[in-house]
Structure formats: C-alpha cells, structure tokens
Amino acid sequence: ILKRFSMWSSRVFSVEVDGAPRYFGIREQLRGEPVPPDVFSEVQKQDRCYSLLVCSGDRVTGDRFHWELRDRLQRQLPPGSGLRSMSSFIPDQKGSLLKGYFLQSRAGNSSLIEDILTDLEQRNPVLVCSYSQSEDGQQWTQCLWYQSEDNPVRFCVVPSETPKHHPSVLNMINSDVFYSLDEACDVLKQCGDIIPETRSVLGMLPSSLDARRKPDFPVIVIEGLDATGKTTLTESLRDSLGATLLRSPPQCLSAWRGRFDREPPLIRRAFYAVGNYITAEQINQEASKSPVIVDRFWHSTAAYAIATAVTGPVSNLPHEGAEVYHWPGDLLQPSLVILLTLDPEERKRRLRSRGLMKTDEEEELDHNKLFRTRVEEAYRRIVGSACIALDASPSADLVLQQALLLIRAKCHL
Ligand SMILES: Nc1ncnc2c1ncn2[C@@H]1O[C@H](COP(=O)(O)OP(=O)(O)O)[C@@H](O)[C@H]1O
Ligand SMILES: Nc1ccn([C@H]2C[C@H](O)[C@@H](COP(=O)(O)OP(=O)(O)O)O2)c(=O)n1
C-alpha cells in the first residue's frame, strides 16, 4: 500500500467542500509561517480529522469497495461526524489518483472512530492517516495511522495551489468514459462473479460487431437533459420521416439498467458504453432500410460521466479539445446530433408536468446548478459528430419544424 502512496510530498490532497475541491499538500518540514489550509478552517479545537484512501491494486474491487464504503461510514460514524469525499494524486501523473474520504470527529467520539478505522485498515486495502493540530491552532500535521503513536512520522500540512487539472481528469479515460468496446467489456467481464447480470448484458452483444460501417440512410441523434423534449421530438420525427426510432440504452438492456445505476461509475459507465455499441448495431441494421432517429447516444454517456467525475465549476472540466471529448474510434458516428437546450425553469416545469425522474443524476441536475452547467458544457465540447443546439422552448410543433429544417439541410432528407 505504501508503494502506491509513494512520493508523499509530491502528492496533493483534495477534499470536497460545498461541491468543489479544496487542496492541500504535505511537507516533511515546514518552510516559513504556518498557514492552515482552508480544509481545516472550520475544524473546532477538540475535533480530530482522519483521511482514508483506498489503495486496491484491482480497479473493479477498489471502486466497488470505495463506493460501498460511503454508506458503511455513514451508518457507523457517530452523529455529528463530518464525512467528505477526498482524493490524493500527483498532479498531471495519470494513474496516481487514490479516492477516499476525509472524516472529522467531534470531541469525545475519537475512540469510536479510531476503532472503526483500525478495523477497516486491518481488513481492507486502505491507507488511514490522522491529523493533529498544534496548540495555537495554526499548524496541522499528518501521520500514517498504522504507525504506533509513540514514533509517528509526521508531515506538515501546507496549502497547495490549485493544480492545472482536476484530479478526476487523471483517471477518466476508460474509467469514466470508455473509448472502445473492448475496454468496456473488459470491465464488465471482471464483474461476472460479483454482478451475475453482466453475463446477460454481454450476451446481448452481437457476435460480430461492425459499429463503424457507414449507414445507407441518415442517422439523427436527439440529445439533451431530462425533460427537454427528446421523447416528444423523436416520436414526431419518426412519424414525419417514416423513420425507425431507437434509443440508448437499448430496450433489450432495460431489465438490468436499474441494477447498474446502483454501481460505481467504472461499472455503470461500462454498462452504458456497451449499450451504445448494441444500439449502434441496431442502427446499422435499420439504417439499411430507412432513416433512423436515436434518443440519446454517446454524447449523453460521455457528458454525464465527465460532469459527474469532475466537481466544482465548469472551469474544472477538461479543456476544450482534450482527448476525453473525442468520439470512440470503433463507434458509429451519426449523420447529425441535435442538442435540445431549454431554460432551467421551463425544464423544471415540464419535468413536474411529466413527473418520473429516471436516475439519481437526473435528480442531481435540478438541485445542483454546478452539475447541470458541467453537463451542458461537456455536451458542447464533444467532437466527432456535428452537434447542433436547438432551442426547445417553443411549442412541440415548432420545435419539430425547426428540427426538420435542420435535418433536411444537413442530411438532404
Ligand atoms: N416543446 C414543448 N413545449 C412544451 N412542453 C413540451 C414540449 N416538448 C415536450 N413537452 C412536455 O415536456 C415533458 C417532457 O418531455 P419529454 O419528451 O418526455 O422530454 P425528455 O424525453 O427529454 O425527458 C412532457 O410532459 C412533454 O409533454
Ligand atoms: N446513452 C446514454 C443514455 C443515458 N445515460 C444516463 C445519463 C443519465 O444519468 C441518464 C439519463 O437517461 P434517462 O433515460 O433518465 O433520461 P431521459 O428520461 O431519456 O431524458 O442515463 C447514459 O449515460 N448514456
């Protein structure tokens, strides 16, 4: 575990405070005046703080353990304890990201929390550190938990400048967003023993998949946040154009979708990625006979994954043109992608009129403006297929007319 945590003093630690990352570093000795990083600014005098980082060698078991650990800690920690997401990484070093939690215990709860952490550390691939405050409250130090209290190696906690890239960006490719069917299948295959449904999902993949074959008829994807009017528009376009209507994830996966929505991002996004490849095969079959309309496709999978992995303001997203926005080389590219945009209040009104939130992420869209703006911006940054924004606020019929004009202009239908 310590090997994975090597180069201590080159690591940055990130703790989520109010939906955005706050950073600090550690140094073997203090240079200059102590300045406690703002992560500790709200910590009371008698409080104790701990960090708990998952250091598993296997990413599927590590991600699942990290995912389940939050509920476990929330159940076990005494009331009033603080629990925040945390990560540690070496700036710009891919593969250096470790995910975990930052705990803050009220005075008097420390022994209970320390029993929980000792038990966790003895039986799981986790690295636990504890933080102590100097008498004057100005200086914090960090030490490894497993060391005996009598000779702990203490590191001075120091403020860290904001790294160029959000820590999640280091780990995104083929973990949050998948760029080949093989990569997505590899993750699901590793889950076969723990999630039996993965065998059924993989069984839905055709034996031979030529997702890149150029379709005979135009393929138009309709994208947008929940309740922007995708279902209404796609069904009207199907009728107006005599087209086939498909969706992603495809109908054949609907029985298992709820099961994978409960999994950590690594497994969940692999599920949606495989869904896109199955939809791509269905598109190939149908587009030899008629135009095809698709309700959500790779834009949704990538945009929601990127916007979920990154926290804080839009500026934390990977920069425009970054590799993470590129279309997978083995996935069919549509003729046209129409992104429905809608004022947030109108979208909420339509959502209320229709009801039924589908996934936690859709719920998140409504009470987390930061998340919503990250999703919308990630949609716009995806390159590969011409993606044209269409204002979805007019009446359903007017939106349909506008969409038909776009399709006729771009797809010569
Ligand atoms: N252009 C529109 N103007 C007003 N209401 C609309 C419009 N398009 C759809 N709606 C209504 O808004 C709600 C959400 O539409 P829906 O097509 O289900 O969105 P999505 O598929 O994007 O979640 C539904 O009640 C639908 O009848
Ligand atoms: N191709 C897709 C489709 C949906 N998703 C995810 C992203 C969001 O969490 C949800 C949105 O799907 P949902 O069916 O709830 O949204 P709509 O009701 O169709 O607007 O699913 C995805 O990752 N990839």
mmCIF file with all atom_site columns, all heavy atoms in Angstrom, residues 173-196:
data_model
loop_
_atom_site.group_PDB
_atom_site.id
_atom_site.type_symbol
_atom_site.label_atom_id
_atom_site.label_alt_id
_atom_site.label_comp_id
_atom_site.label_asym_id
_atom_site.label_entity_id
_atom_site.label_seq_id
_atom_site.pdbx_PDB_ins_code
_atom_site.Cartn_x
_atom_site.Cartn_y
_atom_site.Cartn_z
_atom_site.occupancy
_atom_site.B_iso_or_equiv
_atom_site.pdbx_formal_charge
_atom_site.auth_seq_id
_atom_site.auth_comp_id
_atom_site.auth_asym_id
_atom_site.auth_atom_id
_atom_site.pdbx_PDB_model_num
ATOM 1   N N   . ILE A 1 173 ? -10.037 8.430   -18.694 1.00 0.00 ? 173 ILE A N   1
ATOM 2   C CA  . ILE A 1 173 ? -10.044 7.632   -19.932 1.00 0.00 ? 173 ILE A CA  1
ATOM 3   C C   . ILE A 1 173 ? -10.197 6.142   -19.598 1.00 0.00 ? 173 ILE A C   1
ATOM 4   O O   . ILE A 1 173 ? -9.438  5.587   -18.816 1.00 0.00 ? 173 ILE A O   1
ATOM 5   C CB  . ILE A 1 173 ? -8.720  7.853   -20.718 1.00 0.00 ? 173 ILE A CB  1
ATOM 6   C CG1 . ILE A 1 173 ? -8.512  9.342   -20.988 1.00 0.00 ? 173 ILE A CG1 1
ATOM 7   C CG2 . ILE A 1 173 ? -8.694  7.019   -21.995 1.00 0.00 ? 173 ILE A CG2 1
ATOM 8   C CD1 . ILE A 1 173 ? -9.193  9.944   -22.162 1.00 0.00 ? 173 ILE A CD1 1
ATOM 9   N N   . ASN A 1 174 ? -11.247 5.526   -20.158 1.00 0.00 ? 174 ASN A N   1
ATOM 10  C CA  . ASN A 1 174 ? -11.553 4.106   -19.936 1.00 0.00 ? 174 ASN A CA  1
ATOM 11  C C   . ASN A 1 174 ? -11.759 3.755   -18.469 1.00 0.00 ? 174 ASN A C   1
ATOM 12  O O   . ASN A 1 174 ? -11.564 2.614   -18.061 1.00 0.00 ? 174 ASN A O   1
ATOM 13  C CB  . ASN A 1 174 ? -10.470 3.207   -20.549 1.00 0.00 ? 174 ASN A CB  1
ATOM 14  C CG  . ASN A 1 174 ? -10.499 3.288   -22.077 1.00 0.00 ? 174 ASN A CG  1
ATOM 15  O OD1 . ASN A 1 174 ? -11.576 3.396   -22.681 1.00 0.00 ? 174 ASN A OD1 1
ATOM 16  N ND2 . ASN A 1 174 ? -9.337  3.328   -22.683 1.00 0.00 ? 174 ASN A ND2 1
ATOM 17  N N   . SER A 1 175 ? -12.170 4.770   -17.696 1.00 0.00 ? 175 SER A N   1
ATOM 18  C CA  . SER A 1 175 ? -12.642 4.521   -16.328 1.00 0.00 ? 175 SER A CA  1
ATOM 19  C C   . SER A 1 175 ? -13.973 5.220   -16.108 1.00 0.00 ? 175 SER A C   1
ATOM 20  O O   . SER A 1 175 ? -14.901 4.646   -15.572 1.00 0.00 ? 175 SER A O   1
ATOM 21  C CB  . SER A 1 175 ? -11.635 5.041   -15.284 1.00 0.00 ? 175 SER A CB  1
ATOM 22  O OG  . SER A 1 175 ? -10.529 4.212   -15.236 1.00 0.00 ? 175 SER A OG  1
ATOM 23  N N   . ASP A 1 176 ? -14.049 6.485   -16.549 1.00 0.00 ? 176 ASP A N   1
ATOM 24  C CA  . ASP A 1 176 ? -15.338 7.184   -16.513 1.00 0.00 ? 176 ASP A CA  1
ATOM 25  C C   . ASP A 1 176 ? -15.951 7.205   -17.911 1.00 0.00 ? 176 ASP A C   1
ATOM 26  O O   . ASP A 1 176 ? -17.154 7.127   -18.077 1.00 0.00 ? 176 ASP A O   1
ATOM 27  C CB  . ASP A 1 176 ? -15.134 8.631   -16.030 1.00 0.00 ? 176 ASP A CB  1
ATOM 28  C CG  . ASP A 1 176 ? -14.711 8.668   -14.562 1.00 0.00 ? 176 ASP A CG  1
ATOM 29  O OD1 . ASP A 1 176 ? -15.565 8.353   -13.707 1.00 0.00 ? 176 ASP A OD1 1
ATOM 30  O OD2 . ASP A 1 176 ? -13.546 8.959   -14.290 1.00 0.00 ? 176 ASP A OD2 1
ATOM 31  N N   . VAL A 1 177 ? -15.081 7.368   -18.904 1.00 0.00 ? 177 VAL A N   1
ATOM 32  C CA  . VAL A 1 177 ? -15.560 7.378   -20.289 1.00 0.00 ? 177 VAL A CA  1
ATOM 33  C C   . VAL A 1 177 ? -14.771 6.312   -21.056 1.00 0.00 ? 177 VAL A C   1
ATOM 34  O O   . VAL A 1 177 ? -13.550 6.249   -20.942 1.00 0.00 ? 177 VAL A O   1
ATOM 35  C CB  . VAL A 1 177 ? -15.344 8.753   -20.952 1.00 0.00 ? 177 VAL A CB  1
ATOM 36  C CG1 . VAL A 1 177 ? -16.090 8.831   -22.264 1.00 0.00 ? 177 VAL A CG1 1
ATOM 37  C CG2 . VAL A 1 177 ? -15.826 9.880   -20.041 1.00 0.00 ? 177 VAL A CG2 1
ATOM 38  N N   . PHE A 1 178 ? -15.500 5.481   -21.812 1.00 0.00 ? 178 PHE A N   1
ATOM 39  C CA  . PHE A 1 178 ? -14.855 4.364   -22.496 1.00 0.00 ? 178 PHE A CA  1
ATOM 40  C C   . PHE A 1 178 ? -14.674 4.649   -23.989 1.00 0.00 ? 178 PHE A C   1
ATOM 41  O O   . PHE A 1 178 ? -15.587 5.168   -24.636 1.00 0.00 ? 178 PHE A O   1
ATOM 42  C CB  . PHE A 1 178 ? -15.668 3.086   -22.286 1.00 0.00 ? 178 PHE A CB  1
ATOM 43  C CG  . PHE A 1 178 ? -15.537 2.566   -20.883 1.00 0.00 ? 178 PHE A CG  1
ATOM 44  C CD1 . PHE A 1 178 ? -16.377 3.016   -19.866 1.00 0.00 ? 178 PHE A CD1 1
ATOM 45  C CD2 . PHE A 1 178 ? -14.533 1.672   -20.560 1.00 0.00 ? 178 PHE A CD2 1
ATOM 46  C CE1 . PHE A 1 178 ? -16.231 2.584   -18.571 1.00 0.00 ? 178 PHE A CE1 1
ATOM 47  C CE2 . PHE A 1 178 ? -14.380 1.218   -19.242 1.00 0.00 ? 178 PHE A CE2 1
ATOM 48  C CZ  . PHE A 1 178 ? -15.227 1.678   -18.243 1.00 0.00 ? 178 PHE A CZ  1
ATOM 49  N N   . TYR A 1 179 ? -13.515 4.334   -24.522 1.00 0.00 ? 179 TYR A N   1
ATOM 50  C CA  . TYR A 1 179 ? -13.178 4.688   -25.899 1.00 0.00 ? 179 TYR A CA  1
ATOM 51  C C   . TYR A 1 179 ? -13.054 3.480   -26.796 1.00 0.00 ? 179 TYR A C   1
ATOM 52  O O   . TYR A 1 179 ? -12.605 3.560   -27.918 1.00 0.00 ? 179 TYR A O   1
ATOM 53  C CB  . TYR A 1 179 ? -11.887 5.536   -25.926 1.00 0.00 ? 179 TYR A CB  1
ATOM 54  C CG  . TYR A 1 179 ? -12.194 6.843   -25.291 1.00 0.00 ? 179 TYR A CG  1
ATOM 55  C CD1 . TYR A 1 179 ? -12.062 7.000   -23.916 1.00 0.00 ? 179 TYR A CD1 1
ATOM 56  C CD2 . TYR A 1 179 ? -12.789 7.864   -26.012 1.00 0.00 ? 179 TYR A CD2 1
ATOM 57  C CE1 . TYR A 1 179 ? -12.450 8.156   -23.288 1.00 0.00 ? 179 TYR A CE1 1
ATOM 58  C CE2 . TYR A 1 179 ? -13.181 9.032   -25.398 1.00 0.00 ? 179 TYR A CE2 1
ATOM 59  C CZ  . TYR A 1 179 ? -13.028 9.173   -24.039 1.00 0.00 ? 179 TYR A CZ  1
ATOM 60  O OH  . TYR A 1 179 ? -13.442 10.315  -23.424 1.00 0.00 ? 179 TYR A OH  1
ATOM 61  N N   . SER A 1 180 ? -13.437 2.325   -26.274 1.00 0.00 ? 180 SER A N   1
ATOM 62  C CA  . SER A 1 180 ? -13.519 1.166   -27.163 1.00 0.00 ? 180 SER A CA  1
ATOM 63  C C   . SER A 1 180 ? -14.439 0.150   -26.500 1.00 0.00 ? 180 SER A C   1
ATOM 64  O O   . SER A 1 180 ? -14.547 0.090   -25.261 1.00 0.00 ? 180 SER A O   1
ATOM 65  C CB  . SER A 1 180 ? -12.145 0.535   -27.383 1.00 0.00 ? 180 SER A CB  1
ATOM 66  O OG  . SER A 1 180 ? -11.787 -0.232  -26.243 1.00 0.00 ? 180 SER A OG  1
ATOM 67  N N   . LEU A 1 181 ? -15.084 -0.640  -27.351 1.00 0.00 ? 181 LEU A N   1
ATOM 68  C CA  . LEU A 1 181 ? -15.966 -1.683  -26.827 1.00 0.00 ? 181 LEU A CA  1
ATOM 69  C C   . LEU A 1 181 ? -15.172 -2.669  -25.964 1.00 0.00 ? 181 LEU A C   1
ATOM 70  O O   . LEU A 1 181 ? -15.629 -3.077  -24.898 1.00 0.00 ? 181 LEU A O   1
ATOM 71  C CB  . LEU A 1 181 ? -16.646 -2.416  -27.990 1.00 0.00 ? 181 LEU A CB  1
ATOM 72  C CG  . LEU A 1 181 ? -17.501 -3.632  -27.608 1.00 0.00 ? 181 LEU A CG  1
ATOM 73  C CD1 . LEU A 1 181 ? -18.639 -3.217  -26.670 1.00 0.00 ? 181 LEU A CD1 1
ATOM 74  C CD2 . LEU A 1 181 ? -18.059 -4.299  -28.869 1.00 0.00 ? 181 LEU A CD2 1
ATOM 75  N N   . ASP A 1 182 ? -13.975 -2.987  -26.400 1.00 0.00 ? 182 ASP A N   1
ATOM 76  C CA  . ASP A 1 182 ? -13.166 -3.950  -25.633 1.00 0.00 ? 182 ASP A CA  1
ATOM 77  C C   . ASP A 1 182 ? -12.907 -3.463  -24.205 1.00 0.00 ? 182 ASP A C   1
ATOM 78  O O   . ASP A 1 182 ? -13.027 -4.226  -23.248 1.00 0.00 ? 182 ASP A O   1
ATOM 79  C CB  . ASP A 1 182 ? -11.813 -4.184  -26.335 1.00 0.00 ? 182 ASP A CB  1
ATOM 80  C CG  . ASP A 1 182 ? -11.992 -4.970  -27.637 1.00 0.00 ? 182 ASP A CG  1
ATOM 81  O OD1 . ASP A 1 182 ? -13.095 -5.558  -27.822 1.00 0.00 ? 182 ASP A OD1 1
ATOM 82  O OD2 . ASP A 1 182 ? -11.070 -4.961  -28.470 1.00 0.00 ? 182 ASP A OD2 1
ATOM 83  N N   . GLU A 1 183 ? -12.601 -2.174  -24.090 1.00 0.00 ? 183 GLU A N   1
ATOM 84  C CA  . GLU A 1 183 ? -12.323 -1.640  -22.735 1.00 0.00 ? 183 GLU A CA  1
ATOM 85  C C   . GLU A 1 183 ? -13.558 -1.759  -21.843 1.00 0.00 ? 183 GLU A C   1
ATOM 86  O O   . GLU A 1 183 ? -13.486 -2.131  -20.682 1.00 0.00 ? 183 GLU A O   1
ATOM 87  C CB  . GLU A 1 183 ? -11.918 -0.159  -22.841 1.00 0.00 ? 183 GLU A CB  1
ATOM 88  C CG  . GLU A 1 183 ? -10.528 0.069   -23.398 1.00 0.00 ? 183 GLU A CG  1
ATOM 89  C CD  . GLU A 1 183 ? -9.423  -0.224  -22.389 1.00 0.00 ? 183 GLU A CD  1
ATOM 90  O OE1 . GLU A 1 183 ? -9.746  -0.490  -21.203 1.00 0.00 ? 183 GLU A OE1 1
ATOM 91  O OE2 . GLU A 1 183 ? -8.246  -0.174  -22.779 1.00 0.00 ? 183 GLU A OE2 1
ATOM 92  N N   . ALA A 1 184 ? -14.717 -1.436  -22.409 1.00 0.00 ? 184 ALA A N   1
ATOM 93  C CA  . ALA A 1 184 ? -15.963 -1.506  -21.616 1.00 0.00 ? 184 ALA A CA  1
ATOM 94  C C   . ALA A 1 184 ? -16.272 -2.962  -21.259 1.00 0.00 ? 184 ALA A C   1
ATOM 95  O O   . ALA A 1 184 ? -16.623 -3.275  -20.115 1.00 0.00 ? 184 ALA A O   1
ATOM 96  C CB  . ALA A 1 184 ? -17.110 -0.883  -22.408 1.00 0.00 ? 184 ALA A CB  1
ATOM 97  N N   . CYS A 1 185 ? -16.093 -3.850  -22.243 1.00 0.00 ? 185 CYS A N   1
ATOM 98  C CA  . CYS A 1 185 ? -16.376 -5.279  -21.986 1.00 0.00 ? 185 CYS A CA  1
ATOM 99  C C   . CYS A 1 185 ? -15.414 -5.843  -20.940 1.00 0.00 ? 185 CYS A C   1
ATOM 100 O O   . CYS A 1 185 ? -15.831 -6.635  -20.081 1.00 0.00 ? 185 CYS A O   1
ATOM 101 C CB  . CYS A 1 185 ? -16.271 -6.070  -23.283 1.00 0.00 ? 185 CYS A CB  1
ATOM 102 S SG  . CYS A 1 185 ? -17.629 -5.752  -24.424 1.00 0.00 ? 185 CYS A SG  1
ATOM 103 N N   . ASP A 1 186 ? -14.167 -5.417  -20.992 1.00 0.00 ? 186 ASP A N   1
ATOM 104 C CA  . ASP A 1 186 ? -13.191 -5.926  -20.006 1.00 0.00 ? 186 ASP A CA  1
ATOM 105 C C   . ASP A 1 186 ? -13.656 -5.633  -18.586 1.00 0.00 ? 186 ASP A C   1
ATOM 106 O O   . ASP A 1 186 ? -13.579 -6.485  -17.701 1.00 0.00 ? 186 ASP A O   1
ATOM 107 C CB  . ASP A 1 186 ? -11.810 -5.281  -20.227 1.00 0.00 ? 186 ASP A CB  1
ATOM 108 C CG  . ASP A 1 186 ? -11.096 -5.886  -21.426 1.00 0.00 ? 186 ASP A CG  1
ATOM 109 O OD1 . ASP A 1 186 ? -11.625 -6.902  -21.957 1.00 0.00 ? 186 ASP A OD1 1
ATOM 110 O OD2 . ASP A 1 186 ? -10.063 -5.333  -21.861 1.00 0.00 ? 186 ASP A OD2 1
ATOM 111 N N   . VAL A 1 187 ? -14.179 -4.420  -18.373 1.00 0.00 ? 187 VAL A N   1
ATOM 112 C CA  . VAL A 1 187 ? -14.653 -4.076  -17.016 1.00 0.00 ? 187 VAL A CA  1
ATOM 113 C C   . VAL A 1 187 ? -15.823 -4.973  -16.641 1.00 0.00 ? 187 VAL A C   1
ATOM 114 O O   . VAL A 1 187 ? -15.850 -5.566  -15.555 1.00 0.00 ? 187 VAL A O   1
ATOM 115 C CB  . VAL A 1 187 ? -15.056 -2.586  -16.949 1.00 0.00 ? 187 VAL A CB  1
ATOM 116 C CG1 . VAL A 1 187 ? -15.812 -2.278  -15.649 1.00 0.00 ? 187 VAL A CG1 1
ATOM 117 C CG2 . VAL A 1 187 ? -13.824 -1.695  -17.073 1.00 0.00 ? 187 VAL A CG2 1
ATOM 118 N N   . LEU A 1 188 ? -16.785 -5.128  -17.564 1.00 0.00 ? 188 LEU A N   1
ATOM 119 C CA  . LEU A 1 188 ? -17.970 -5.940  -17.221 1.00 0.00 ? 188 LEU A CA  1
ATOM 120 C C   . LEU A 1 188 ? -17.570 -7.395  -17.010 1.00 0.00 ? 188 LEU A C   1
ATOM 121 O O   . LEU A 1 188 ? -18.068 -8.068  -16.106 1.00 0.00 ? 188 LEU A O   1
ATOM 122 C CB  . LEU A 1 188 ? -19.044 -5.804  -18.309 1.00 0.00 ? 188 LEU A CB  1
ATOM 123 C CG  . LEU A 1 188 ? -19.691 -4.425  -18.446 1.00 0.00 ? 188 LEU A CG  1
ATOM 124 C CD1 . LEU A 1 188 ? -20.864 -4.481  -19.435 1.00 0.00 ? 188 LEU A CD1 1
ATOM 125 C CD2 . LEU A 1 188 ? -20.170 -3.857  -17.109 1.00 0.00 ? 188 LEU A CD2 1
ATOM 126 N N   . LYS A 1 189 ? -16.621 -7.894  -17.807 1.00 0.00 ? 189 LYS A N   1
ATOM 127 C CA  . LYS A 1 189 ? -16.201 -9.300  -17.634 1.00 0.00 ? 189 LYS A CA  1
ATOM 128 C C   . LYS A 1 189 ? -15.592 -9.514  -16.241 1.00 0.00 ? 189 LYS A C   1
ATOM 129 O O   . LYS A 1 189 ? -15.785 -10.562 -15.621 1.00 0.00 ? 189 LYS A O   1
ATOM 130 C CB  . LYS A 1 189 ? -15.190 -9.694  -18.714 1.00 0.00 ? 189 LYS A CB  1
ATOM 131 C CG  . LYS A 1 189 ? -15.816 -9.936  -20.082 1.00 0.00 ? 189 LYS A CG  1
ATOM 132 C CD  . LYS A 1 189 ? -14.761 -10.099 -21.161 1.00 0.00 ? 189 LYS A CD  1
ATOM 133 C CE  . LYS A 1 189 ? -15.391 -10.167 -22.548 1.00 0.00 ? 189 LYS A CE  1
ATOM 134 N NZ  . LYS A 1 189 ? -14.379 -10.002 -23.624 1.00 0.00 ? 189 LYS A NZ  1
ATOM 135 N N   . GLN A 1 190 ? -14.881 -8.491  -15.738 1.00 0.00 ? 190 GLN A N   1
ATOM 136 C CA  . GLN A 1 190 ? -14.268 -8.632  -14.402 1.00 0.00 ? 190 GLN A CA  1
ATOM 137 C C   . GLN A 1 190 ? -15.330 -8.658  -13.299 1.00 0.00 ? 190 GLN A C   1
ATOM 138 O O   . GLN A 1 190 ? -15.050 -9.012  -12.163 1.00 0.00 ? 190 GLN A O   1
ATOM 139 C CB  . GLN A 1 190 ? -13.309 -7.459  -14.136 1.00 0.00 ? 190 GLN A CB  1
ATOM 140 C CG  . GLN A 1 190 ? -12.032 -7.475  -14.953 1.00 0.00 ? 190 GLN A CG  1
ATOM 141 C CD  . GLN A 1 190 ? -11.204 -6.222  -14.683 1.00 0.00 ? 190 GLN A CD  1
ATOM 142 O OE1 . GLN A 1 190 ? -10.904 -5.887  -13.533 1.00 0.00 ? 190 GLN A OE1 1
ATOM 143 N NE2 . GLN A 1 190 ? -10.865 -5.505  -15.749 1.00 0.00 ? 190 GLN A NE2 1
ATOM 144 N N   . CYS A 1 191 ? -16.559 -8.248  -13.682 1.00 0.00 ? 191 CYS A N   1
ATOM 145 C CA  . CYS A 1 191 ? -17.623 -8.177  -12.650 1.00 0.00 ? 191 CYS A CA  1
ATOM 146 C C   . CYS A 1 191 ? -18.463 -9.446  -12.623 1.00 0.00 ? 191 CYS A C   1
ATOM 147 O O   . CYS A 1 191 ? -19.382 -9.570  -11.818 1.00 0.00 ? 191 CYS A O   1
ATOM 148 C CB  . CYS A 1 191 ? -18.560 -6.998  -12.926 1.00 0.00 ? 191 CYS A CB  1
ATOM 149 S SG  . CYS A 1 191 ? -17.756 -5.425  -13.003 1.00 0.00 ? 191 CYS A SG  1
ATOM 150 N N   . GLY A 1 192 ? -18.178 -10.377 -13.547 1.00 0.00 ? 192 GLY A N   1
ATOM 151 C CA  . GLY A 1 192 ? -19.053 -11.545 -13.727 1.00 0.00 ? 192 GLY A CA  1
ATOM 152 C C   . GLY A 1 192 ? -19.399 -12.247 -12.419 1.00 0.00 ? 192 GLY A C   1
ATOM 153 O O   . GLY A 1 192 ? -20.549 -12.625 -12.198 1.00 0.00 ? 192 GLY A O   1
ATOM 154 N N   . ASP A 1 193 ? -18.413 -12.379 -11.518 1.00 0.00 ? 193 ASP A N   1
ATOM 155 C CA  . ASP A 1 193 ? -18.685 -13.138 -10.286 1.00 0.00 ? 193 ASP A CA  1
ATOM 156 C C   . ASP A 1 193 ? -19.504 -12.323 -9.277  1.00 0.00 ? 193 ASP A C   1
ATOM 157 O O   . ASP A 1 193 ? -20.325 -12.861 -8.562  1.00 0.00 ? 193 ASP A O   1
ATOM 158 C CB  . ASP A 1 193 ? -17.350 -13.544 -9.632  1.00 0.00 ? 193 ASP A CB  1
ATOM 159 C CG  . ASP A 1 193 ? -16.550 -14.465 -10.571 1.00 0.00 ? 193 ASP A CG  1
ATOM 160 O OD1 . ASP A 1 193 ? -17.225 -15.097 -11.431 1.00 0.00 ? 193 ASP A OD1 1
ATOM 161 O OD2 . ASP A 1 193 ? -15.316 -14.493 -10.493 1.00 0.00 ? 193 ASP A OD2 1
ATOM 162 N N   . ILE A 1 194 ? -19.275 -11.021 -9.275  1.00 0.00 ? 194 ILE A N   1
ATOM 163 C CA  . ILE A 1 194 ? -19.976 -10.206 -8.262  1.00 0.00 ? 194 ILE A CA  1
ATOM 164 C C   . ILE A 1 194 ? -21.305 -9.652  -8.764  1.00 0.00 ? 194 ILE A C   1
ATOM 165 O O   . ILE A 1 194 ? -22.206 -9.375  -7.993  1.00 0.00 ? 194 ILE A O   1
ATOM 166 C CB  . ILE A 1 194 ? -19.064 -9.044  -7.777  1.00 0.00 ? 194 ILE A CB  1
ATOM 167 C CG1 . ILE A 1 194 ? -18.283 -8.425  -8.940  1.00 0.00 ? 194 ILE A CG1 1
ATOM 168 C CG2 . ILE A 1 194 ? -18.143 -9.511  -6.684  1.00 0.00 ? 194 ILE A CG2 1
ATOM 169 C CD1 . ILE A 1 194 ? -17.334 -7.312  -8.560  1.00 0.00 ? 194 ILE A CD1 1
ATOM 170 N N   . ILE A 1 195 ? -21.410 -9.484  -10.102 1.00 0.00 ? 195 ILE A N   1
ATOM 171 C CA  . ILE A 1 195 ? -22.679 -8.994  -10.679 1.00 0.00 ? 195 ILE A CA  1
ATOM 172 C C   . ILE A 1 195 ? -23.053 -9.955  -11.800 1.00 0.00 ? 195 ILE A C   1
ATOM 173 O O   . ILE A 1 195 ? -22.676 -9.773  -12.966 1.00 0.00 ? 195 ILE A O   1
ATOM 174 C CB  . ILE A 1 195 ? -22.533 -7.562  -11.237 1.00 0.00 ? 195 ILE A CB  1
ATOM 175 C CG1 . ILE A 1 195 ? -21.873 -6.615  -10.229 1.00 0.00 ? 195 ILE A CG1 1
ATOM 176 C CG2 . ILE A 1 195 ? -23.897 -7.011  -11.661 1.00 0.00 ? 195 ILE A CG2 1
ATOM 177 C CD1 . ILE A 1 195 ? -21.602 -5.233  -10.786 1.00 0.00 ? 195 ILE A CD1 1
ATOM 178 N N   . PRO A 1 196 ? -23.822 -11.012 -11.471 1.00 0.00 ? 196 PRO A N   1
ATOM 179 C CA  . PRO A 1 196 ? -24.149 -12.038 -12.483 1.00 0.00 ? 196 PRO A CA  1
ATOM 180 C C   . PRO A 1 196 ? -24.839 -11.458 -13.727 1.00 0.00 ? 196 PRO A C   1
ATOM 181 O O   . PRO A 1 196 ? -24.675 -11.959 -14.833 1.00 0.00 ? 196 PRO A O   1
ATOM 182 C CB  . PRO A 1 196 ? -25.083 -12.992 -11.718 1.00 0.00 ? 196 PRO A CB  1
ATOM 183 C CG  . PRO A 1 196 ? -24.821 -12.745 -10.275 1.00 0.00 ? 196 PRO A CG  1
ATOM 184 C CD  . PRO A 1 196 ? -24.396 -11.319 -10.148 1.00 0.00 ? 196 PRO A CD  1
#
